[in-house]
Amino acid sequence: MRIVLLGPPGAGKGTQAIMLADKKGFLHLSTGDILRENVKNGTFIGKKAKAFMDNGELVPDDIVIEMMLDTIKNARSQEDFILDGFPRTVYQANNLDRELNKLKLPIDMVVYFKTSIKTVILRLTGRRLCSRCGASYHITNMPPKKQGVCDKCGSELYQRKDDSEETIKKRLEVYDSQTKELIDYYKTQGILKEVSGDLEAPKVYSELSEILNTCEADDRNKVRK
Ligand code: AMP
């Protein structure tokens, strides 16, 4: 099953994608993670993307589309994956649809994380990440045992540069002006589902699991008919 997670930054898409990957074996493809890895390694893509990311703007479509389509084509599984943070514009969505249709592996389901601005700002300003293993914490909702230190590997935690209040504001403006219209785009295709991104992660996960189970059951029924 191929799933797109859609919603504003801080809606919890990454957290849920990690849980689905852990528990159900999905391949988790996060555009933000792949871009950050490119920046860290100083690649051609990373050099082009860095300033846009630091400013909370979208990296130009052509760079991201080529990067993500290559990632999908080279992935260990093209049957079951989750796209987290891609597509983020209608142009990206059109390109993705075209390529996946050619592979006869279209997107089966898009989950929209309906989330309030208040939640998003609280989550992003308090988010801290491990500099080594990438584990995610929150200063109040999910603090590490020892302040500033990762529970899993003992490395130092840091705050993402684009999680500053000013850049968060910019990212939310970008979401409103360029990404939000994807809700209608996928609603028209009849594959949009919704979860409440304001809930705590385990509750969102049970909503998500229920949706997945229903879709899988529908698929089985279609095969039987
Ligand atoms: P994220 O980790 O999903 O919050 O993404 C971090 C940053 O990476 C965004 O603010 C953008 O600068 C860039 N980015 C991630 N996904 C995309 C995308 N699909 N299109 C363009 N830029 C993206």
Side-chain angles (χ1 to χ4, degrees):
M1 199 173 217
R2 289 151 307 277
I3 304 172
V4 167
L5 304 185
L6 180 66
K13 305 184 295 294
T15 304
Q16 295 302 321
I18 290 169
M19 289 170 86
L20 282 173
D22 272 0
K23 294 178 199 242
K24 296 192 189 275
F26 279 96
L27 177 66
H28 171 202
L29 302 175
S30 154
T31 321
D33 285 351
I34 297 170
L35 284 168
R36 277 184 290 279
E37 195 59 25
N38 274 280
V39 171
K40 197 167 125 195
N41 295 331
T43 66
F44 178 73
I45 290 177
K47 283 183 187 143
K48 287 203 157 186
K50 186 175 186 313
F52 294 102
M53 296 172 77
D54 286 348
N55 293 332
E57 290 162 18
L58 291 187
V59 174
D61 277 341
D62 291 341
I63 298 176
V64 174
I65 290 168
E66 193 183 343
M67 181 185 85
M68 289 311 284
L69 293 181
D70 280 352
T71 303
I72 292 170
K73 282 177 196 155
N74 295 323
R76 68 170 157 77
S77 156
Q78 292 173 348
E79 304 272 320
D80 297 301
F81 60 76
I82 300 174
L83 292 175
D84 161 17
F86 182 77
R88 254 166 152 118
T89 63
V90 169
Y91 185 73
Q92 291 179 13
N94 277 319
N95 277 271
L96 176 67
D97 279 348
R98 198 171 44 240
E99 287 305 313
L100 291 182
N101 285 335
K102 273 192 217 160
L103 296 170
K104 299 207 174 0
L105 294 167
I107 295 295
D108 299 294
M109 185 172 94
V110 177
V111 184
Y112 166 49
F113 286 57
K114 191 175 182 193
T115 317
S116 69
I117 295 278
K118 197 174 147 217
T119 303
V120 160
I121 292 176
L122 223 102
R123 282 206 192 127
L124 293 178
T125 50
R127 176 161 66 180
R128 298 292 182 272
L129 299 161
C130 175
S131 50
R132 187 145 158 236
C133 72
S136 182
Y137 298 87
H138 189 277
I139 47 172
T140 50
N141 298 348
M142 211 197 353
K145 288 189 190 105
K146 187 173 168 203
Q147 197 188 337
V149 178
C150 178
D151 292 347
K152 292 183 184 149
C153 73
S155 300
E156 202 183 328
L157 303 185
Y158 74 101
Q159 182 173 28
R160 257 170 64 172
K161 198 170 172 188
D162 60 349
D163 279 346
S164 69
E165 262 187 64
E166 198 188 323
T167 314
I168 290 170
K169 207 171 143 241
K170 177 74 196 167
R171 287 160 72 198
L172 290 174
E173 279 168 20
V174 167
Y175 172 77
D176 272 339
S177 62
Q178 297 186 66
T179 308
K180 219 173 170 181
E181 55 192 319
L182 285 175
I183 299 169
D184 281 337
Y185 177 92
Y186 287 118
K187 207 183 262 174
T188 311
Q189 291 191 10
I191 55 171
L192 191 83
K193 309 280 173 193
E194 188 177 302
V195 294
S196 339
D198 287 329
L199 300 177
E200 285 168 17
K203 291 193 179 140
V204 180
Y205 187 76
S206 35
E207 283 193 7
L208 206 47
S209 299
E210 214 166 290
I211 292 173
L212 272 175
N213 290 342
T214 315
C215 285
E216 279 164 1
D218 286 352
D219 277 356
R220 279 195 297 277
N221 287 337
K222 261 188 231 156
V223 171
R224 272 192 211 117
K225 273 179 195 166

